[in-house]
Amino acid sequence: MRRARQLLGLDPSADAQLSQAFIHGSWIFENQREASRTNQRDNTALAFVGSVAAMYENALSRTRFAATNPSAQLLTQTISNEVYARLLRQMGLTPVLLVGAGEARKGVADSIAATAVQALFGAVAVTTAVVTRGLEALAEHDPVAALASLPADARAAAVFVLAHQAAALTSATISTQSWMLRRLFGLHLTRPRFRSGVAIR
């Protein structure tokens, strides 16, 4: 954890999130009793937050480049698992991953390494005030008013996450009700506002 913390410029208060970032679902499945005893979860939720943050930064970087280097076509490519996996190896953090015995025998797949890196990004996002304030606002009884009271950077981050969730709701095969029951990022509160046509700006 110390090396990850130093590489990412975090303080010791982030250790809980950083440790979770390295726990793959296969390890939780094979060690359910230990996971329950220590209240550990896998890195899926952190990886989701981190993937959104990475997509945002990637799109922002490409857009800024295009603004100063005009092109006939603007490409906003996604980041591949291979790129994430290479980053994890370069950071020297692959041995820290906790995976199930079956996955360990096969070696760390790029998809597992990518999830870990995304979860690291998620840990950074969750432990910084900007994203945390935005997510807390989305869980308020009146998220529209809560978002309006935030600084511009926190509001932009929260709206980006909410827009990503809205896109997932319209394209995923998972039912809207299932997302709402999981109370993910305040969607159990904000979803009815989409039905009424109220937009968060």
Side-chain angles (χ1 to χ4, degrees):
M1 290 309 100
R2 184 181 304 166
R3 175 169 174 76
R5 192 196 319 137
Q6 291 173 344
L7 286 170
L8 297 171
L10 300 175
D11 58 50
S13 64
D15 282 358
Q17 286 76 23
L18 287 177
S19 63
Q20 185 181 343
F22 292 103
I23 303 176
H24 187 252
S26 60
W27 186 90
I28 294 290
F29 180 77
E30 294 181 10
N31 298 272
Q32 294 182 32
R33 181 177 297 179
E34 181 66 14
S36 178
R37 186 183 68 81
T38 57
N39 195 30
Q40 286 285 7
R41 299 180 180 181
D42 64 30
N43 58 10
T44 304
L46 279 178
F48 169 77
V49 175
S51 68
V52 173
M55 285 189 293
Y56 176 82
E57 292 296 336
N58 183 46
L60 182 62
S61 174
R62 288 178 176 275
T63 302
R64 284 175 172 168
F65 179 81
T68 55
N69 299 270
S71 173
Q73 186 176 16
L74 175 61
L75 298 178
T76 55
Q77 298 175 341
T78 57
I79 305 171
S80 68
N81 286 345
E82 183 182 357
V83 171
Y84 282 121
R86 187 163 64 246
L87 177 59
L88 190 70
R89 290 193 296 270
Q90 291 174 347
M91 295 171 74
L93 296 175
T94 305
V96 183
L97 279 173
L98 286 179
V99 298
E103 294 293 345
R105 283 193 294 270
K106 294 186 293 184
V108 178
D110 283 356
S111 59
I112 293 177
T115 300
V117 173
Q118 290 169 343
L120 281 174
F121 293 164
V124 173
V126 169
T127 53
T128 56
V130 170
V131 173
T132 303
R133 287 201 304 270
L135 296 181
E136 288 174 347
L138 290 178
E140 290 291 334
H141 179 69
D142 188 349
V144 175
L147 283 175
S149 67
L150 290 177
D153 54 354
R155 185 168 61 253
V159 171
F160 183 82
V161 171
L162 187 57
H164 187 275
Q165 282 295 308
L169 286 169
T170 58
S171 61
T173 56
I174 303 172
S175 70
T176 301
Q177 186 65 24
S178 296
W179 285 90
M180 293 166 67
L181 289 175
R182 289 179 181 273
R183 303 173 71 85
L184 185 60
F185 297 140
L187 280 178
H188 58 295
L189 300 170
T190 57
R191 181 61 183 174
R193 297 179 182 278
F194 285 110
R195 295 198 193 100
S196 63
V198 177
I200 297 176
R201 299 184 185 279

